[in-house]
Amino acid sequence: MSEASFGYEATGTLHHVGELEWIIKVWGDLFTAELVIESSGPYAGAVRLLVGGKEVGSVSHGVSADYRPVVEALNARGEAATCRISADRDE
């Protein structure tokens, strides 16, 4: 297990404000998200961020291609791909 800090911002979070407010209330400003690859539809290949089964955003399109092989490799081994999220409420 290794950990790295990249400081990328999630996209689409404005569409999930209610979920994020609930998550912050329950878990605080620092929490873990599961990275899940969208398998079909117009956004197939997008890397979604899920917390407690709720979508809270996506990995930016510009870097999602870097994440997909890692998520796929972990999933192939039966493991979930996760990352830490720090909620910045000032924006």
Side-chain angles (χ1 to χ4, degrees):
M1 174 76 69
S2 64
E3 185 173 318
S5 177
F6 299 103
Y8 295 126
E9 289 189 24
T11 61
T13 55
L14 291 177
H15 300 288
H16 305 285
V17 171
E19 291 88 348
L20 284 166
E21 287 175 349
W22 177 82
I23 289 163
I24 291 167
K25 183 178 179 181
V26 172
W27 286 305
D29 291 345
L30 182 65
F31 45 90
T32 301
E34 181 177 3
L35 289 81
V36 177
I37 298 173
E38 184 76 27
S39 61
S40 62
Y43 300 106
V47 181
R48 304 291 186 205
L49 300 168
L50 305 179
V51 177
K54 299 176 185 294
E55 184 176 341
V56 296
S58 300
V59 172
S60 170
H61 178 72
V63 295
S64 63
D66 297 333
Y67 282 76
R68 267 192 299 279
V70 176
V71 174
E72 290 169 343
L74 287 167
N75 291 170
R77 295 188 335 212
E79 299 178 35
T82 62
C83 66
R84 285 185 174 180
I85 295 180
S86 177
D88 184 356
R89 292 191 251 186
D90 294 335
E91 295 180 7

